[in-house]
Amino acid sequence: MKRNLRARKFAFEETLMSRTILLVLVAAVAVWAPSVLLGKTSSSHSIQVANKTLVERLGYPADAKLLIVHADDLGLAHSVNAAAIKAFESGLVTSGSIMVPCPWLPEIAAYARTHAEADLGLHLTLTSEWKPYRWGPVLSKDRVASLLDDSGYFYLTESEAASHANVKEVEAEIRAQIDRARRFGINPTHLDSHMGTLYQNKALFEMFLRVARETKLPIRMSKEWFASTDYLPSILNPNDVVMDRIISIEPAVPAEGWAKFYTDSIRNMHPGVTEIISHLAYDDEEMRAATADHPDWGSAWRQRDLQFLTSDAFRKVLQENHIKLITWREIGKMQYPK
Amino acid sequence: MKRNLRARKFAFEETLMSRTILLVLVAAVAVWAPSVLLGKTSSSHSIQVANKTLVERLGYPADAKLLIVHADDLGLAHSVNAAAIKAFESGLVTSGSIMVPCPWLPEIAAYARTHAEADLGLHLTLTSEWKPYRWGPVLSKDRVASLLDDSGYFYLTESEAASHANVKEVEAEIRAQIDRARRFGINPTHLDSHMGTLYQNKALFEMFLRVARETKLPIRMSKEWFASTDYLPSILNPNDVVMDRIISIEPAVPAEGWAKFYTDSIRNMHPGVTEIISHLAYDDEEMRAATADHPDWGSAWRQRDLQFLTSDAFRKVLQENHIKLITWREIGKMQYPK
């Protein structure tokens, strides 16, 4: 996911947010009480869940500061795969998610097969945003006509994709992406959505949530998003997992502001589960060409993410602030115990 | 096209070849006489064609040494596109052909739209040979099931592709590639076949020839191939265009042998039409990763092609040997006059 989530535009002050979240959780429990009573979920489990924070559900003390450092867009380009693999080896980037329709999928799938410990999810993909270099669906094109632009690729933007999408076709395509990943030997630990397309409207998000629950995979959601959607709280159940906060650097941050942005973000972390969404790549010929007409989320911007998030400075600020790095695999095991 | 054509393994000595060609041309005229009599081609034009060499048909003196310097695999990767564009700018590489199913098609199509003079054909593609980085068909996958391997991409090799291919599906796919190129603003000057898949058997080649005639585009064929196929002469007609010779450097040539290979090839050119098939790319991260498990036709090998074929040494040997550079556009205008 590389776009601004609309939620962030409406970010509330922390205190106000906490109150909102409390109200939302109460509402969510009320909405889901009937299904609990009907035995759709274990009532004792639900009550237990409803009374605990995500940190506590994960077995940590309530004041723990847990962090997932996540690399999006794996499979997009060789430059992205190489950067992500380097970042995983640093131990500071804990997780990543893979774009199954992209042509460099086989390279990152080979890594997944030989690194079973790697925390790799799927970055479900319905857009193809770089004009010189594009891709299309996993399914036959005639089965997902609503997802394709005039040139036969996925749409360039998440808003075009969401506004044209037939939800049944999207469901078939994302199920096909999950199946294909598994056929390539990837055992995904979580799901998210490239450019946030699956979060663009209620119909898409409800379907996404249903597919995720059926496949028993956690999905990226943040409490902050509650402030900008009227539907999100109403469709959650107590077993769903919602991050307390997501951090993602914006294109507007100047190169010299990188260290400060991440350092301040870590220093300001509250107890809870936070995810840093990063976009790692090298500023090389391939990535420069792909992002040539796309100044935001470009190759130099991505290389700055790689440099800071694998640096000793980042390691130091994590240690100084007693940040515990976790993975989506931990969350999945808690959310869907075997 | 990057594989050895089987023809080259059976290359005949030049004198013997000339006699073979004469016999073949006589046979070809005999086979095609009925269609000439039925008015399918102009009889006076056919007789004229049968009596002239390709050089003469193109309006040059019989002893002219004409050369097309051709870059294959455009669209495959950014590295290939960038190298080809640099080579075109040198004026020494005259032509190239584009792989429509590959993800970097839009980049080279943008070049084609802004460089109407560029001599760009289509490198019809039915294989996807680099294991970490792959692609599939233009058509819906369910319409071309015979062209796809278990992973849903094109087969890795031309022999697998040809042995599984349903000819009707191949025809639909290559017509779709031609249509798609035109929708992208490419006005192709010629056709050839990536890895020679369409030359692998008579059924595929006959269909390819029929599609090329219908679309009025010349295709790559060499007289040398007559020695290794029993069907090729029998299906040609007098209006078809057959190169006198094709030159393509092999992976076995050591790096220090590059200049000698091309210099000797140019010095040994006889009158006639020759094509150098080259494979240009930079030895950069993208291309090294794509070709990592594929020592032949790799990134360093491709960069050597780029370096020599854009060099002053190449320019000099062309001048010294009175080589006239031509394009496929010239051939197409002669073969299919408006």
Side-chain angles (χ1 to χ4, degrees), chain B residues 40 54 65 77 99 141 189-190 196 222 266 310 323 338:
Chain B
K40 285 181 185 169
L54 177 55
K65 297 176 182 176
M99 297 171 72
K141 291 178 184 174
T189 59
H190 62 291
S222 168
I266 298 300
T310 58
I323 307 299
K338 278 180 185 167

Side-chain angles (χ1 to χ4, degrees), chain B residues 54 57 221-224 226 236 240-244 273:
Chain B
L54 177 55
R57 288 167 68 195
M221 282 188 278
S222 168
K223 283 181 181 172
E224 298 156 304
F226 291 176
L236 296 182
D240 287 325
V241 164
V242 182
M243 299 277 120
D244 293 291
V273 183

Side-chain angles (χ1 to χ4, degrees), chain A residues 78 102-107 131-134 137-138 140-143 151-153 180 184 284-286 289-290, chain B residues 78 102-107 131-134 137-138 140-143 151-153 180 184 284-286 289-290:
Chain A
H78 168 68
C102 288
W104 286 93
L105 166 70
E107 182 180 61
K131 285 183 186 164
Y133 170 62
R134 301 189 69 191
V138 160
S140 269
K141 291 178 186 174
D142 51 13
R143 290 187 55 195
S151 65
Y153 299 119
R180 184 169 177 76
F184 271 79
D284 61 10
E285 290 299 327
E286 177 195 22
Chain B
H78 168 68
C102 289
W104 286 92
L105 166 70
E107 182 180 61
K131 285 182 186 165
Y133 170 63
R134 301 188 70 190
V138 161
S140 268
K141 291 178 184 174
D142 51 13
R143 289 188 56 194
S151 66
Y153 299 120
R180 183 169 177 76
F184 271 79
D284 60 11
E285 291 299 328
E286 177 195 23

Side-chain angles (χ1 to χ4, degrees), chain B residues 14-237:
Chain B
E14 195 72 22
T15 318
L16 178 59
M17 179 62 90
S18 302
R19 285 180 199 152
T20 311
I21 292 161
L22 188 64
L23 280 170
V24 156
L25 285 175
V26 169
V29 170
V31 166
W32 283 90
S35 68
V36 170
L37 291 173
L38 288 165
K40 285 181 185 169
T41 56
S42 149
S43 61
S44 65
H45 179 61
S46 296
I47 290 165
Q48 191 182 21
V49 161
N51 292 332
K52 282 188 171 184
T53 64
L54 177 55
V55 166
E56 290 171 316
R57 288 167 68 195
L58 288 165
Y60 293 92
D63 62 349
K65 297 176 182 176
L66 308 181
L67 178 65
I68 294 173
V69 186
H70 193 277
D72 283 23
D73 299 351
L74 278 59
L76 188 154
H78 168 68
S79 182
V80 171
N81 289 347
I85 290 168
K86 180 184 164 72
F88 295 154
E89 287 170 0
S90 77
L92 296 174
V93 175
T94 61
S95 300
S97 56
I98 297 171
M99 297 171 72
V100 175
C102 289
W104 286 92
L105 166 70
E107 182 180 61
I108 198 68
Y111 176 83
R113 290 193 297 272
T114 53
H115 294 77
E117 77 291 355
D119 189 48
L120 294 169
L122 302 183
H123 202 49
L124 298 169
T125 300
L126 302 164
T127 47
S128 168
E129 70 274 30
W130 314 110
K131 285 182 186 165
Y133 170 63
R134 301 188 70 190
W135 51 82
V138 161
L139 283 179
S140 268
K141 291 178 184 174
D142 51 13
R143 289 188 56 194
V144 288
S146 75
L147 306 187
L148 306 182
D149 70 10
D150 289 344
S151 66
Y153 299 120
F154 283 140
Y155 283 97
L156 287 163
T157 66
E158 70 280 28
S159 55
E160 287 170 289
S163 65
H164 290 90
N166 171 314
V167 178
K168 285 189 178 167
E169 291 182 1
V170 176
E171 178 170 349
E173 174 63 21
I174 69 173
R175 286 184 185 275
Q177 292 183 15
I178 297 167
D179 290 347
R180 183 169 177 76
R182 289 188 164 140
R183 282 203 307 279
F184 271 79
I186 299 164
N187 185 15
T189 59
H190 62 291
L191 301 175
D192 51 47
S193 169
H194 184 56
M195 297 169 69
T197 307
L198 292 169
Y199 306 93
Q200 293 289 310
N201 62 52
K202 186 180 178 188
L204 285 170
F205 187 72
E206 275 187 322
M207 176 277 295
F208 179 31
L209 198 56
R210 178 166 47 77
V211 170
R213 287 171 181 157
E214 285 177 26
T215 52
K216 301 195 173 182
L217 292 170
I219 66 175
R220 177 184 287 163
M221 282 188 278
S222 168
K223 283 181 181 172
E224 298 156 304
W225 303 354
F226 291 176
S228 63
T229 64
D230 50 2
Y231 62 81
L232 197 57
S234 69
I235 60 176
L236 296 182
N237 76 28

Side-chain angles (χ1 to χ4, degrees), chain A residues 26-337:
Chain A
V26 169
V29 171
V31 165
W32 282 90
S35 67
V36 170
L37 292 173
L38 288 166
K40 284 182 186 168
T41 56
S42 149
S43 61
S44 66
H45 179 62
S46 295
I47 290 164
Q48 191 183 24
V49 161
N51 291 333
K52 282 187 170 184
T53 65
L54 177 55
V55 167
E56 290 170 315
R57 289 168 66 194
L58 288 165
Y60 292 91
D63 63 350
K65 297 176 182 177
L66 307 182
L67 177 66
I68 294 173
V69 186
H70 193 277
D72 283 24
D73 297 352
L74 279 59
L76 187 154
H78 168 68
S79 182
V80 172
N81 289 346
I85 290 169
K86 181 185 164 73
F88 295 154
E89 288 169 358
S90 76
L92 296 174
V93 175
T94 60
S95 301
S97 57
I98 298 172
M99 297 171 71
V100 174
C102 288
W104 286 93
L105 166 70
E107 182 180 61
I108 198 68
Y111 176 84
R113 290 193 297 273
T114 53
H115 294 77
E117 77 290 357
D119 189 48
L120 295 169
L122 302 183
H123 201 50
L124 298 169
T125 301
L126 302 165
T127 47
S128 168
E129 70 273 32
W130 313 111
K131 285 183 186 164
Y133 170 62
R134 301 189 69 191
W135 51 81
V138 160
L139 283 179
S140 269
K141 291 178 186 174
D142 51 13
R143 290 187 55 195
V144 288
S146 74
L147 307 187
L148 307 181
D149 70 9
D150 289 344
S151 65
Y153 299 119
F154 283 140
Y155 283 97
L156 287 164
T157 65
E158 69 280 28
S159 55
E160 287 171 288
S163 65
H164 290 89
N166 171 315
V167 178
K168 285 188 178 168
E169 292 183 0
V170 176
E171 178 170 349
E173 174 63 20
I174 69 172
R175 286 183 185 275
Q177 292 183 14
I178 297 167
D179 290 347
R180 184 169 177 76
R182 290 188 163 139
R183 282 203 307 280
F184 271 79
I186 299 164
N187 185 15
T189 58
H190 62 290
L191 300 176
D192 52 46
S193 170
H194 184 55
M195 297 168 70
T197 307
L198 292 168
Y199 306 92
Q200 292 290 309
N201 61 52
K202 185 181 178 189
L204 285 170
F205 187 72
E206 274 186 323
M207 176 277 296
F208 179 31
L209 197 56
R210 178 165 48 77
V211 170
R213 287 170 182 158
E214 285 177 26
T215 53
K216 301 194 172 182
L217 291 170
I219 66 175
R220 175 184 289 162
M221 283 187 278
S222 167
K223 283 183 182 171
E224 297 157 305
W225 303 354
F226 291 177
S228 64
T229 64
D230 50 2
Y231 61 81
L232 198 57
S234 68
I235 60 177
L236 296 183
N237 75 29
N239 192 46
D240 287 323
V241 164
V242 183
M243 300 277 120
D244 293 291
R245 188 164 176 231
I246 285 178
I247 296 168
S248 191
I249 197 161
E250 297 300 325
V253 177
E256 62 276 14
W258 234 254
K260 179 172 164 48
F261 173 86
Y262 281 117
T263 302
D264 287 352
S265 298
I266 298 300
R267 286 186 182 142
N268 294 334
M269 267 178 66
H270 291 258
V273 182
T274 300
E275 181 172 26
I276 290 180
I277 299 180
S278 74
H279 301 85
L280 311 180
Y282 287 95
D283 184 21
D284 61 10
E285 290 299 327
E286 177 195 22
M287 209 63 205
R288 270 198 288 273
T291 63
D293 65 345
H294 208 299
D296 296 346
W297 289 274
S299 55
W301 184 86
R302 288 171 185 252
Q303 183 165 290
R304 286 197 288 276
D305 253 12
L306 172 65
Q307 282 171 338
F308 188 80
L309 295 175
T310 58
S311 70
D312 288 339
F314 184 50
R315 194 183 301 275
K316 193 170 166 222
V317 74
L318 293 176
Q319 287 167 348
E320 286 172 351
N321 291 276
H322 310 291
I323 307 299
K324 165 75 179 161
L325 295 180
I326 64 163
T327 62
W328 277 103
R329 182 175 282 117
E330 274 187 64
I331 292 176
K333 282 183 178 171
M334 178 277 295
Q335 188 175 5
Y336 298 106

